[in-house]
Amino acid sequence: MKKAIALIGITSVLAAASQAGAVTVTLACGTVGIELQLCKEGSARWAKKTGNTVKIFESPALTNDRLGLYQQQLAAKSSDIDVYQLDVVWPGQLSEHFVDLKGKVPAGEVSAHFPAIIEADTVNGKLVAMPWFTDAGVLYYRTDLLKKYGFTSAPKTWPELALMAKKIQDGEQKANKAFTGFVFQGKNYEGLTCDALEWIASFGGGTIVDNSGKISINNAQAAKALDTAASWVKSISPAGITTYDEEAARGIFQAGNAAFMRNWPYAWARGQEEGSKVRGKIGVAPLPSGGARNAATLGGWQLGVSQYSKNQAASIDLVRYLTGPAEQKIRAIQGSYNPTLPALYKDKDVLKAVPFFGSLYNVFTSAVARPSGPTKGKYNQVSQAFSTTVSSVLNGQSKGQAAVAKLATDLARIKGRGW
Ligand code: GLC
């Protein structure tokens, strides 16, 4: 976590500090894909426009590590970071530390975003943060290899994916021992919570805790989904899958060593970049169904202003700038970060750079939320208990049915008298 303390100053215009009222705002942003580069460039544009200065706080890549670090800063009421990049599952846990943006960001700007995301960012009537980009899990596949092995379209169900992955893997391994069928996020962390929620929801096994706060995980469909995922380990996925996060999976796919990958949309821009071994050979489809539906977990990131910031007005201005249409368009085109503004899904330049923002629009608007709403401040504990359980099934330490039954007991303990 030490690395996160690195601060990189971006000085915009010459002698910015000499301008009347110029301030320095520190922005904590992510480092996955080309996030950091885009964050620096966007901030520099705002700095140039306003005469202020932005310092970038490089956050750790894993969302769990980020949360830990931010919680320390916020608990200490530190004013070091003015603007935080917040995961869509955090507002309920962190709301007390953020400025209410309602009324401070014009209502017309707020209502330009997807209403469901604004709702996720609103806690007890307080607008904790503004949406910056949204996320939903998608299936990446190698168009050239599907063709080579006689497949005409992406798999529609998990069994179909397993069959296709096995056939391609067996064929490709003859010349390339490192080749594997399917990579995803199998490490025990928030990313596994996202992947496993997709499996379970696609089997009709619910969302761990339902919207009313009832623990719903102990059911046969959820158990079946987990057993299905466990059957992939060491058959169509490598043994190491239980240590992979987003970037590990992307590294393998982008090196040309996997037929299928579950990842977020950002992996598209990286895969299509110059020098990528899979450039021009990537297809993107909805994640397969387990019989009930195609399910993508809703992810995404927001920008919120710390209650402890000494530069709140300038910070709010930075948030408005970065979450506005011009910046979101640049980020969509250059980094395939999904806009939170529906209007940009009709933008010709955006659709040219990322065609699946159009073809998979329904995937993004019907994504399944993790139960951070109903479990409020206890979401992180719930998610950790869940990913630990899933991990034990993937590792072969338990079977689906016993695992979901034990998890339900653990969750009841965490819930206590209420969430
Ligand atoms: C992505 C998602 C975020 C999720 C994380 C898990 O960054 O946008 O919501 O928590 O992945 O690794």
Side-chain angles (χ1 to χ4, degrees), residues 69-257:
L69 183 69
Y70 294 175
Q71 277 174 326
Q72 280 172 24
Q73 294 282 319
L74 295 166
K77 300 192 176 6
S78 164
S79 60
D80 289 354
I81 298 173
D82 301 282
V83 178
Y84 285 83
Q85 183 180 324
L86 303 179
D87 198 333
V88 68
V89 286
W90 295 350
Q93 299 169 79
L94 302 179
S95 63
E96 64 185 287
H97 302 292
F98 288 86
V99 171
D100 186 358
L101 297 174
K102 197 167 272 173
K104 301 204 171 74
V105 173
E109 279 177 37
V110 176
S111 65
H113 295 264
F114 285 115
I117 307 179
I118 292 295
E119 204 179 295
D121 293 341
T122 305
V123 179
N124 297 330
K126 173 175 176 176
L127 183 58
V128 176
M130 285 292 286
W132 198 19
F133 65 96
T134 183
D135 254 342
V138 291
L139 181 72
Y140 290 87
Y141 61 95
R142 287 279 300 276
T143 48
D144 56 331
L145 293 180
L146 258 61
K147 203 165 165 212
K148 180 173 169 189
Y149 289 88
F151 299 114
T152 50
S153 62
K156 305 238 165 356
T157 65
W158 293 112
E160 231 176 279
L161 176 134
L163 275 174
M164 290 167 75
K166 183 81 172 73
K167 184 164 177 199
I168 299 173
Q169 178 180 282
D170 288 350
E172 293 300 295
Q173 275 187 352
K174 289 183 190 136
N176 175 8
K177 283 273 158 276
F179 195 90
T180 188
F182 181 38
V183 288
F184 56 92
Q185 290 70 49
K187 179 186 165 91
N188 181 1
Y189 76 119
E190 186 64 26
L192 178 57
T193 292
C194 297
D195 287 37
L197 180 65
E198 286 161 353
W199 310 329
I200 292 176
S202 82
F203 274 79
T207 56
I208 314 165
V209 173
D210 72 14
N211 275 341
S212 72
K214 188 171 157 266
I215 297 163
S216 61
I217 189 64
N218 188 6
N219 69 76
Q221 290 309 104
K224 199 167 154 203
L226 296 186
D227 287 331
T228 302
S231 76
W232 302 330
V233 181
K234 297 192 217 155
S235 63
I236 55 164
S237 303
I241 194 79
T242 52
T243 64
Y244 291 179
D245 60 11
E246 285 85 357
E247 286 291 79
R250 184 181 64 77
I252 290 169
F253 186 79
Q254 199 162 323
N257 289 333

